[in-house]
Amino acid sequence: MTCNVNMAPTGDFCGEWNRTYLGLDFSTQQLKAVVVNENLEVKHEVTVHFDSELPEFRTHGGVQKVDNITITAPSIMWVKALDLVMEKLKVTGLDLSTVAAISGAGQQHGSVYWRKGAQTILRNLHPDKFLHEQLQSCFSVRDSPVWMDSSTTTQCMALEKALGGAQRLAELTGCRAYERYTGNQIAKVFETKPEAYKNTERISLISSFAASLFLGDFAAIDFSDGSGMNLLDIRRKDWADECLNACAPELREKLGKPVPSYTVLGNISPYYVERYGFNGECKVVGFTGDNPASFAGMNLQESDIAVSLGTSDTLFLWLKEPQPSLESQLLCNPVEKDYYMALLCYKNGSLTRERIRNECADGSWELFSELLESTPRGNFGNIGMYFDLIEIIPTVYGDHHFNKNGEEVSRFSKEVEVRALIEGQFLAKRLHSEKLGFCVGAGTRVLATGGASVNCAILQVLADIFSTSVYVQGVANSAALGSAYRAKYGFLGGDSTKFSDVVNPVTKWTLAATPSPDAAEVYNPMVERYKRLEEKVKAKQCCLKS
């Protein structure tokens, strides 16, 4: 990276149609940036892959695994990745003085711990130095717990007990206590690293941490990402004191006041004006979680079901009224403040698919797809479940193979293994979405995004199992794209503008797969079989634990 200080004028932009909007996604494996013009057409895209481009941090899949349950990422790695992204954006030829607003997303639930004195450093950044050089010592906890971490079972049990049970906590915060949820991660830091907690000036989510880098000050947590912490009262949209008190002391002060997701947090830091030539009036719009950002990028409608196929697989729905349960996760809607979104998250997504690809298809997606298409729907009655990490729904681990008689076997042939993986992942999604009350009806669309949404063979299985058509966007990175959309939405006023009015003219979905004629006949009974086998695996692992 090279240092190149640019000066740019502050003040009005050079006309409405010159404006661009920058969206970022601090995801698990990479940092992505998308720039759209006033018509929301994508003009520039750049990416920094953590493992390959920042090898000094020795991450695998963007994270560091202490063991199978303790999983973190270096906070400073994300800062250095932003330095690289900014340099790449300059190379594209983008005139950064045209960027009217910036917003972004971060992998949900992860937490960043700013040490005392960090705010002063953020407010006084020097344009002749990279961010990572100046922020190296700004963290009281060096490695941030991320969403893949499962090491806080004790803290989860304590939080549910303090609130009067899992259902009461779900009614208040939208979800029972999960290990990856930020409140439980904060409680663990307080209990195991008391001096680091005492020395913490501010606790950010990864999203608000990323916003802070652009704002040059501590950025507020937004309602939508904040509702994935087990700390926010999702109806009052403020921190629930009984949850805060159960997790750690002085937590309200360390978190700051949450704000609506479309809030303009302020103008961009002078650092970016002087170093990269941004306009001084460029707005920083509240950053949110990657799932809410994808929700925005996909312009989800009330009858749709969205499936994001990334490092984690997620499924989400639009809700008018929250109906908390022990299995669902409810978040505040990122684009309509009086609505909600339901979320189902599965840890074992693309990394598990990559493992089976490597084992069965010599690392080739082309061969993987050929193997998948060479086996019939229903896979001869074989069903597989694959959990490299302890899964969220259900809480199980390991690979499990069942033949057509429901008997557990040691392995499948390569082609059967590939189909068992993909069918098993989508059978689970259909099963658990139906438990939320969702059912496919007339006009229902499955909207697919994420890295695996470019694989036609995988999308065909998705269409068959849900017995409805699957659509994709031209841009797979819906979280970064949604962030760019949200940047314009916030710039135009948020509260005074309907999000759908901003994005409807440009939201384009392409039909990618339609269900086979016999899909319902094959998969309706298979969902019931999967349900029974999942209960069998849960019971078996529960017995082993006891």
Side-chain angles (χ1 to χ4, degrees):
M1 294 185 293
T2 59
C3 179
N4 182 16
V5 179
N6 297 309
M7 297 298 293
T10 61
D12 294 335
F13 295 95
C14 303
E16 177 180 347
W17 299 108
N18 251 354
R19 293 178 192 150
T20 60
Y21 302 91
L22 172 59
L24 299 109
D25 177 22
F26 288 73
S27 68
T28 307
Q29 300 189 61
Q30 56 194 340
L31 171 56
K32 291 162 278 191
V34 171
V35 178
V36 300
N37 63 12
E38 189 66 29
N39 294 324
L40 300 184
E41 299 166 328
V42 175
K43 307 305 292 183
H44 303 279
E45 293 181 77
V46 297
T47 301
V48 171
H49 190 268
F50 301 143
D51 291 0
S52 61
E53 296 186 67
L54 296 169
E56 63 269 31
F57 295 105
R58 299 181 180 180
T59 57
H60 177 70
V63 300
Q64 297 173 336
K65 296 182 181 180
V66 178
D67 49 48
N68 276 330
I69 62 172
T70 307
I71 302 175
T72 63
S75 305
I76 196 66
M77 178 180 73
W78 299 320
V79 181
K80 195 167 186 179
L82 180 57
D83 284 329
L84 283 172
V85 156
M86 294 309 303
E87 295 298 314
K88 287 188 176 187
L89 281 174
K90 287 199 308 183
V91 171
T92 67
L94 168 66
D95 179 359
L96 290 166
S97 70
T98 66
V99 178
I102 298 171
S103 191
Q107 51 176 296
Q108 288 198 257
H109 316 301
S111 44
V112 178
Y113 301 79
W114 298 96
R115 72 163 177 84
K116 290 180 179 178
Q119 186 176 42
T120 300
I121 295 174
L122 273 173
R123 289 175 172 176
N124 294 280
L125 295 170
H126 298 288
D128 58 340
K129 295 181 179 180
F130 289 110
L131 283 175
H132 73 272
E133 296 174 319
Q134 301 180 71
L135 301 181
Q136 186 76 42
S137 62
C138 281
F139 308 106
S140 55
V141 176
R142 185 189 66 181
D143 297 325
S144 292
V146 296
W147 63 273
M148 298 166 77
D149 187 277
S150 303
S151 66
T152 61
T153 302
T154 300
Q155 289 75 22
C156 288
M157 294 171 63
L159 179 59
E160 290 184 348
K161 181 178 180 181
L163 269 290
Q167 184 62 40
R168 168 88 202 297
L169 180 63
E171 289 286 344
L172 183 64
T173 70
C175 185
R176 69 174 304 163
Y178 278 116
E179 282 82 356
R180 71 189 186 281
Y181 268 49
T182 323
N184 308 301
Q185 295 290 342
I186 292 170
K188 179 187 171 186
V189 170
F190 169 66
E191 293 168 16
T192 62
K193 300 177 180 178
E195 284 303 312
Y197 184 85
K198 183 179 179 181
N199 194 39
T200 297
E201 182 175 22
R202 184 70 167 244
I203 300 173
S204 296
L205 294 179
I206 295 172
S207 58
S208 61
F209 157 75
S212 301
L213 300 179
F214 284 98
L215 193 64
D217 204 345
F218 292 146
I221 292 171
D222 80 293
F223 291 160
S224 194
D225 206 9
S227 52
M229 300 175 71
N230 278 143
L231 296 176
L232 189 81
D233 183 328
I234 60 170
R235 291 174 178 82
R236 290 194 307 110
K237 295 183 174 60
D238 192 12
W239 305 123
D241 285 322
E242 52 191 318
C243 297
L244 298 178
N245 295 336
C247 289
E250 302 175 357
L251 196 45
R252 182 176 284 274
E253 293 76 14
K254 292 182 187 293
L255 292 173
K257 182 176 176 60
V259 298
S261 302
Y262 49 75
T263 301
V264 173
L265 302 174
N267 290 344
I268 195 169
S269 165
Y271 172 84
Y272 295 88
V273 177
E274 297 177 36
R275 184 177 181 87
Y276 295 109
F278 279 85
N279 190 300
E281 296 299 313
C282 175
K283 307 302 180 187
V284 179
V285 177
F287 284 36
T288 191
D290 51 0
N291 292 304
S294 288
F295 184 100
M298 299 169 83
N299 192 21
L300 203 70
Q301 304 300 308
E302 291 187 40
S303 61
D304 296 332
I305 181 169
V307 179
S308 179
L309 303 171
T311 306
S312 63
D313 282 355
T314 51
L315 179 151
F316 34 91
L317 310 166
W318 178 295
L319 294 177
K320 288 184 177 179
E321 293 293 335
Q323 296 178 320
S325 72
L326 296 185
E327 205 168 77
S328 66
Q329 301 160 65
L330 300 181
L331 304 175
C332 297
N333 192 305
V335 296
E336 292 285 349
K337 67 176 183 179
D338 296 325
Y339 289 80
Y340 299 85
M341 61 178 283
L343 171 70
L344 292 173
C345 183
Y346 302 85
K347 287 184 183 179
N348 298 281
S350 67
L351 296 182
T352 303
R353 287 187 287 271
E354 289 170 13
R355 172 173 67 87
I356 298 300
R357 176 204 63 186
N358 294 341
E359 292 175 0
C360 298
D362 298 327
S364 165
W365 283 119
E366 183 177 359
L367 179 55
F368 182 94
S369 297
E370 290 175 5
L371 292 171
L372 180 58
E373 292 173 327
S374 72
T375 46
R377 286 177 292 282
N379 208 13
F380 308 106
N382 297 298
I383 289 179
M385 304 176 190
Y386 303 81
F387 309 111
D388 294 357
L389 300 168
I390 298 173
E391 191 47 272
I392 299 164
I393 309 171
T395 310
V396 294
Y397 176 72
D399 291 355
H400 307 273
H401 306 82
F402 296 94
N403 64 20
K404 64 181 181 180
N405 299 316
E407 301 164 335
E408 191 152 9
V409 297
S410 60
R411 62 176 61 88
F412 294 142
S413 63
K414 289 182 178 181
E415 64 275 10
V416 170
E417 189 91 89
V418 167
R419 179 164 281 273
L421 164 71
I422 300 301
E423 286 188 342
Q425 289 185 326
F426 291 145
L427 287 167
K429 290 172 179 58
R430 176 175 161 182
L431 170 64
H432 297 131
S433 66
E434 288 177 348
K435 285 185 177 182
L436 288 179
F438 175 83
C439 60
V440 173
T444 297
R445 302 181 302 171
V446 173
L447 309 180
T449 186
S453 66
V454 300
N455 188 306
C456 295
I458 291 176
L459 295 184
Q460 184 60 55
V461 179
L462 177 59
D464 287 338
I465 288 179
F466 276 86
S467 294
T468 193
S469 297
V470 174
Y471 294 80
V472 296
Q473 280 178 307
V475 178
N477 297 326
S478 61
L481 185 63
S483 296
Y485 290 175
R486 290 179 55 258
K488 181 174 181 180
Y489 177 53
F491 180 83
L492 293 179
D495 228 357
S496 60
T497 306
K498 284 187 67 67
F499 183 76
S500 58
D501 290 341
V502 174
V503 301
N504 272 347
V506 297
T507 304
K508 294 181 176 66
W509 288 94
T510 302
L511 180 64
T514 57
S516 305
D518 63 345
E521 179 184 348
V522 171
Y523 288 114
N524 286 351
M526 204 167 178
V527 172
E528 292 302 315
R529 282 192 61 221
Y530 186 93
K531 179 180 179 181
R532 293 193 297 271
L533 293 172
E534 185 180 89
E535 292 296 328
K536 182 177 180 179
V537 171
K538 286 166 61 179
K540 178 181 178 181
Q541 295 206 346
C542 184
C543 290
L544 290 174
K545 290 178 185 177
S546 59

